[in-house]
Amino acid sequence: MKAIGKGPALLRLNNQKRVMAQLRKLRVTSRQDIAQRLSLSKNTVSLIIDDLLEHDFIEELGPVSAATAGRPKIEITLRPEKLKSAGVVVERNRIHWRVCDYFSQVIAEETLHTDTHHPTPLLAELAMVCREINNKYPDLLGIGLGFPGIIDPQRGWRHLSCRLGWQEVDLLTSLRKHVRLPIRVMNNINAAALLSVQQLRLVAESSHFYLRISESIEGALVRHGEVLIGNSWTAGEAGHLTVQPNGPRCSCGRQGCLEALVSQPAIKQQLAQRQPGLSWQNRDSAPRIVNEVMVQAGNFLGKVLSQIMLLLNPASIVIDCPWSAHAGFCEAVRSVTESDTLTFTYQHTQLHFLSVRLNPANGLALAVIEQFEQRIS
């Protein structure tokens, strides 16, 4: 692809980015359909497609059979393996990376166990990991780096991470000294939220709320393909909404937070209290007890989802958690959400319970691609 220029060259580059984004989303299309969707001239699109063909980024699949007279459309598709990006997830005592193609399919991955308590040696290790990935895949578009906690993605700055024990750490400056590729730093949950919109083929122009239940509970609102992070980078903290006043104490110090009632540690504790040795893994040994715990958890989550629907009015809410495998939990969530929400609002909001958990590393790789497709001014 051609280098960045000014005037007509810059306009063509931005049009090329728009075409690439359409090819990624549609998978199979034609020059005519792209021109119509993007309101570009057929000649402009043909020049861009010819350039991409020359660089082997796309291939022609052949003419589309049509009953009408005239020149048939030639179907085209991206060659996703020609354009790669990487996502590196940092969690407590763990680094996990994936290299993905342009369609977010995993090409390679690895998990490394390491000490994450001290930022300076960890950032040095991350830089080494990024260089090794780049050496194996020199044609990478960039690397997305994800961290837990409060992240300013513009500055690449971590303000707070309870899970890692970090405060006020400059992530980006240190990494850029050692990694020449474009780097995008963001919160892991925000990356997974971007991925959820793509994986479920949700309408990008609408808003969608992603909720992830694991060791903690976090959420993110995606609108027009962008994650809304809020004024202090904490938008989406659904896990700290109060659903049971005077309930169990949360890690944040308050009582009755959703996280203290529905997170993985909370459910683990509740199952063990009702029957010693009972866990989610051996839940089939005591279905009645597990059902009671899951229905109660679903009731709590339903109360929070009703607040999200009323305040944010998203087109859909994506629930990414282990408990989605339990029918009683899902039924309780739907029932309480419906009863606590205005009928019209509920009827215009879809609930999606994921059967397979999303990997934030894929979301980080996708974030790099979406950054690559952004218009240059």
Side-chain angles (χ1 to χ4, degrees):
M1 288 181 278
K2 300 190 182 297
I4 298 174
K6 295 182 179 180
L10 183 58
L11 177 61
R12 178 171 176 175
L13 178 61
N14 283 326
N15 283 334
Q16 185 181 70
K17 288 175 175 287
R18 296 175 66 199
V19 170
M20 292 287 289
Q22 284 296 308
L23 285 166
R24 179 172 61 86
K25 293 171 183 175
L26 298 175
R27 304 295 175 94
V28 177
T29 184
S30 68
R31 292 170 174 82
Q32 295 94 319
D33 289 341
I34 290 177
Q36 185 176 10
R37 281 176 174 270
L38 299 181
S39 298
L40 295 172
S41 70
K42 292 181 181 179
N43 183 59
T44 296
V45 172
S46 290
L47 288 172
I48 292 172
I49 295 300
D50 289 344
D51 186 44
L52 294 174
L53 280 167
E54 182 182 342
H55 287 83
D56 209 24
F57 289 133
I58 64 173
E59 62 179 322
E60 293 183 329
L61 301 178
V64 180
S65 58
T68 58
R71 186 176 179 179
K73 296 179 180 178
I74 304 296
E75 285 190 328
I76 55 177
T77 185
L78 273 172
R79 299 189 64 185
E81 74 281 0
K82 293 290 183 178
L83 295 156
K84 307 178 188 70
S85 59
V88 182
V89 175
V90 177
E91 296 173 329
R92 184 186 297 164
N93 297 327
R94 179 177 178 266
I95 297 173
H96 175 72
W97 63 261
R98 283 183 167 184
V99 172
C100 301
D101 67 19
Y102 211 68
F103 289 164
S104 296
Q105 299 301 307
V106 180
I107 295 172
E109 66 179 315
E110 186 176 357
T111 299
L112 308 169
H113 298 281
T114 187
D115 184 359
T116 56
H117 291 90
H118 306 288
T120 301
L122 180 64
L123 289 175
E125 185 174 358
L126 276 177
M128 182 181 68
V129 169
C130 290
R131 288 197 301 270
E132 290 176 351
I133 295 172
N134 193 196
N135 289 337
K136 291 180 182 178
Y137 304 93
D139 54 348
L140 283 178
L141 296 174
I143 298 178
L145 290 157
F147 299 83
I150 301 174
I151 305 291
D152 177 351
Q154 298 300 322
R155 293 176 61 201
W157 191 279
R158 165 179 281 150
H159 290 280
L160 177 66
S161 175
C162 295
R163 272 180 277 174
L164 298 184
W166 295 9
Q167 279 187 304
E168 304 303 331
V169 177
D170 183 350
L171 304 168
L172 199 53
T173 301
S174 173
L175 291 168
R176 276 181 173 162
K177 291 178 181 177
H178 305 283
V179 183
R180 296 183 179 181
L181 286 170
I183 296 175
R184 184 168 185 180
V185 174
M186 61 194 306
N187 175 275
N188 288 329
I189 303 304
N190 292 348
L194 286 176
L195 183 65
S196 72
V197 175
Q198 182 198 66
Q199 295 291 81
L200 293 173
R201 297 186 178 276
L202 303 177
V203 178
E205 291 72 24
S206 299
S207 62
H208 310 281
F209 193 86
Y210 170 80
L211 186 76
R212 186 180 184 90
I213 299 176
S214 55
E215 292 295 312
S216 59
I217 298 180
E218 298 174 84
L221 181 69
V222 181
R223 186 182 182 190
H224 296 294
E226 294 288 335
V227 179
L228 302 184
I229 57 177
N231 184 61
S232 59
W233 313 283
T234 57
E237 285 285 358
H240 296 293
L241 291 173
T242 302
V243 291
Q244 190 185 53
N246 301 319
R249 191 164 298 280
C250 180
S251 59
C252 71
R254 299 162 63 241
Q255 286 183 277
C257 293
L258 180 68
E259 186 172 301
L261 296 160
V262 182
S263 66
Q264 286 182 326
I267 295 299
K268 179 181 179 180
Q269 183 179 36
Q270 292 169 36
L271 291 174
Q273 284 177 343
R274 284 169 170 76
Q275 180 175 301
L278 180 61
S279 68
W280 179 250
Q281 287 67 35
N282 64 8
R283 58 188 178 276
D284 291 340
S285 64
R288 182 185 61 80
I289 295 175
V290 171
N291 188 65
E292 289 176 358
V293 171
M294 285 293 100
V295 168
Q296 184 182 57
N299 291 339
F300 288 137
L301 180 58
K303 291 180 180 297
V304 165
L305 296 192
S306 68
Q307 296 178 53
I308 292 171
M309 285 187 184
L310 292 170
L311 289 171
L312 302 179
N313 193 213
S316 59
I317 297 177
V318 181
I319 303 157
D320 186 354
C321 76
W323 325 139
S324 296
H326 193 280
F329 169 80
C330 299
E331 183 180 345
V333 171
R334 293 185 184 279
S335 176
V336 172
T337 304
E338 182 177 13
S339 65
D340 287 7
T341 309
L342 294 174
T343 301
F344 189 81
T345 304
Y346 179 81
Q347 290 175 344
H348 287 81
T349 310
Q350 291 186 313
L351 291 180
H352 300 275
F353 294 89
L354 297 185
S355 57
V356 178
R357 307 215 67 183
L358 297 181
N359 191 313
N362 284 61
L364 291 161
L366 174 61
V368 170
I369 291 172
E370 293 186 344
Q371 183 172 265
F372 170 74
E373 293 172 349
Q374 285 180 1
R375 182 180 182 276
I376 299 173
S377 57

